[in-house]
Amino acid sequence: VPDAESIGWYFNTQTMPLAREARHTALRDRAATRQAILDNLARLADSEPQDVLVVYLAGHGVTVGSQWYFVPTDVPAGLRRDDVIRSGVSGEEIANALMRAKAQRVLLMVDACKSGAAASDQTLFDDRKKLVLMARTFGLHVIAAAEKDQLAAELPQIGHGAFTYTLLQGLEGKADKNGDATVSATELGDYVKSVLPDISLKHAGELQVPVIYSRGQSFGVFAPAALTAARAAAKAPSPRKK
């Protein structure tokens, strides 16, 4: 929950310098059921071509056979194979939902164990979006926390997963490699890829290597300067009525 709330705060009103409007939907704890996740993914089909979609998942991830599953709250304890297949959300289902979205700029971030396996499911886009890719108007970027056989480290001393902590540092401005005051999808992925292994070794004692999948054009996802204004506004006293 702290991971999702922090990411949500950044991408809710903080994206306003890059967009006229930011719409934010969050599912936490018991609300994050399989059906609720699928219903919200289905609503992405109502997006417009000029929109930017940012989808973030934080939780458990498991692989059954060759398929990766995000584990919703209604998967029974024990993570038995049949339960995961029946109640989990597969990488293929996520990819299909994003494929049906009309938005031509999509960023998917997954903070879950073995989530690198999910990135391979996004190759479903390669054929289905190829006409848009040829027009150079489509961009899909997936940033997954760990390779398909790795666990995603939690860092209690920091209050975040190692992956999400690195994402937040990048959004703060550290990922802005070209200094244009905007963090792009590719800059964020490059930053996580270069920094996360060291952070995981330092704080968790285990190597965690993110998996990045990018197709098409990059696009701005965050303006770090918005944080300064938002934090200043949060501390400012409310104006008194005369």
Side-chain angles (χ1 to χ4, degrees), residues 92 95-96 99 123-132:
E92 184 174 357
N96 284 332
M99 183 274 295
T123 58
L124 291 171
F125 282 89
D126 285 352
D127 290 331
R128 301 178 192 183
K129 290 284 190 177
K130 64 181 179 182
L131 295 179
V132 187

Side-chain angles (χ1 to χ4, degrees), residues 160-226:
H160 287 295
F163 174 73
T164 296
Y165 173 77
T166 308
L167 282 176
L168 295 173
Q169 292 292 305
L171 294 171
E172 290 272 359
K174 291 185 177 179
D176 181 16
K177 188 175 182 179
N178 64 6
D180 65 353
T182 299
V183 174
S184 71
T186 52
E187 284 179 326
L188 186 60
D190 289 344
Y191 177 78
V192 171
K193 187 174 182 178
S194 65
V195 174
L196 179 57
D198 290 338
I199 287 180
S200 62
L201 280 174
K202 178 180 178 180
H203 294 284
E206 295 182 1
L207 182 66
Q208 181 177 331
V209 180
V211 175
I212 313 297
Y213 172 91
S214 294
R215 289 294 184 274
Q217 71 176 103
S218 186
F219 49 89
V221 295
F222 195 75

Side-chain angles (χ1 to χ4, degrees), residues 34 37-38 41-42 44 55-57 67-71 88-101 106-110 115 118-119 121-122 124-125 140 142:
R34 167 182 164 79
I37 292 171
L38 292 178
L41 287 173
L44 299 180
V55 179
Y56 171 83
L57 300 172
Q67 183 65 261
W68 179 84
Y69 291 85
F70 182 72
V71 181
V89 178
S90 70
E92 184 174 357
E93 287 175 308
I94 295 169
N96 284 332
L98 296 180
M99 183 274 295
R100 288 189 288 268
V106 180
L107 171 62
L108 171 64
M109 301 176 289
V110 186
S115 51
D121 290 308
Q122 309 311 312
L124 291 171
F125 282 89
L140 169 70
V142 181

Side-chain angles (χ1 to χ4, degrees), residues 144-162:
E147 293 184 336
K148 61 182 181 180
D149 57 350
Q150 288 184 333
L151 301 180
E154 289 293 321
L155 306 178
Q157 66 272 39
I158 293 177
H160 287 295

Side-chain angles (χ1 to χ4, degrees), residues 62 64 69 75 79-89:
V62 297
V64 177
Y69 291 85
V75 173
L79 300 181
R80 293 185 292 271
R81 176 189 176 92
D82 291 345
D83 290 336
V84 171
I85 294 174
R86 180 176 60 255
S87 302
V89 178

